[in-house]
Amino acid sequence: MKLLNNYLVAVNAAASGEALALAREAGVDVRTAIEAVVPGGGEANAQLANLYPNRVLAGDFEAGFKLGYMVKDLRHAFDLAAELGVGSPLGRAAGARMDEAAERCGTEVDFGCVSRLSGW
């Protein structure tokens, strides 16, 4: 469990750095970005608390937030990152997984379908 926790902490810490650099370069106050994301509707930190136990483990991939929308939003984020000169290797790796999930599951299902690539 320690390794699992540290795996998630490391990926989340690195991805958070990318996302916050993008916010900073886009002119968004980083503290405001953090305050908006942590408790807010973006639910960036709620995947293990909500998505996996309530949807993925139950096999429920009915769209809450469509995979197609996630793919589209990631592409826009990558365009912005490129425009601002912000690296996004972790985001792009996640985007590649979302693209792979869209090929496998279609775009009308929940973005949680990406979990199927890991055997769920």
Side-chain angles (χ1 to χ4, degrees):
M1 290 312 305
K2 179 180 187 241
L3 296 177
L4 168 67
N5 182 67
N6 288 347
Y7 180 98
L8 292 169
V9 167
V11 169
N12 218 355
S16 294
E18 285 182 14
L20 292 175
L22 182 55
R24 179 191 65 223
E25 295 305 312
V28 177
D29 177 74
V30 175
R31 293 195 184 276
T32 299
I34 291 169
E35 290 171 9
V37 171
V38 171
E43 301 201 16
N45 294 311
Q47 303 315 300
L48 283 181
N50 295 313
L51 177 66
Y52 276 79
N54 297 327
R55 309 281 309 273
V56 172
L57 298 181
D60 178 6
F61 297 103
E62 183 177 331
F65 187 74
K66 290 182 181 180
L67 180 55
Y69 295 154
M70 181 65 79
V71 168
K72 175 189 63 74
D73 288 352
L74 287 171
R75 286 193 181 122
H76 288 308
F78 301 149
D79 289 346
L80 180 61
E83 178 183 321
L84 297 173
V86 176
S88 55
L90 290 167
R92 289 184 184 278
R97 291 296 275 177
M98 292 293 174
D99 288 341
E100 189 178 346
E103 289 176 20
R104 179 174 175 181
C105 304
T107 58
E108 297 297 310
V109 298
D110 192 82
F111 77 97
C113 184
V114 72
S115 64
R116 289 192 172 173
L117 301 176
S118 298
W120 295 104

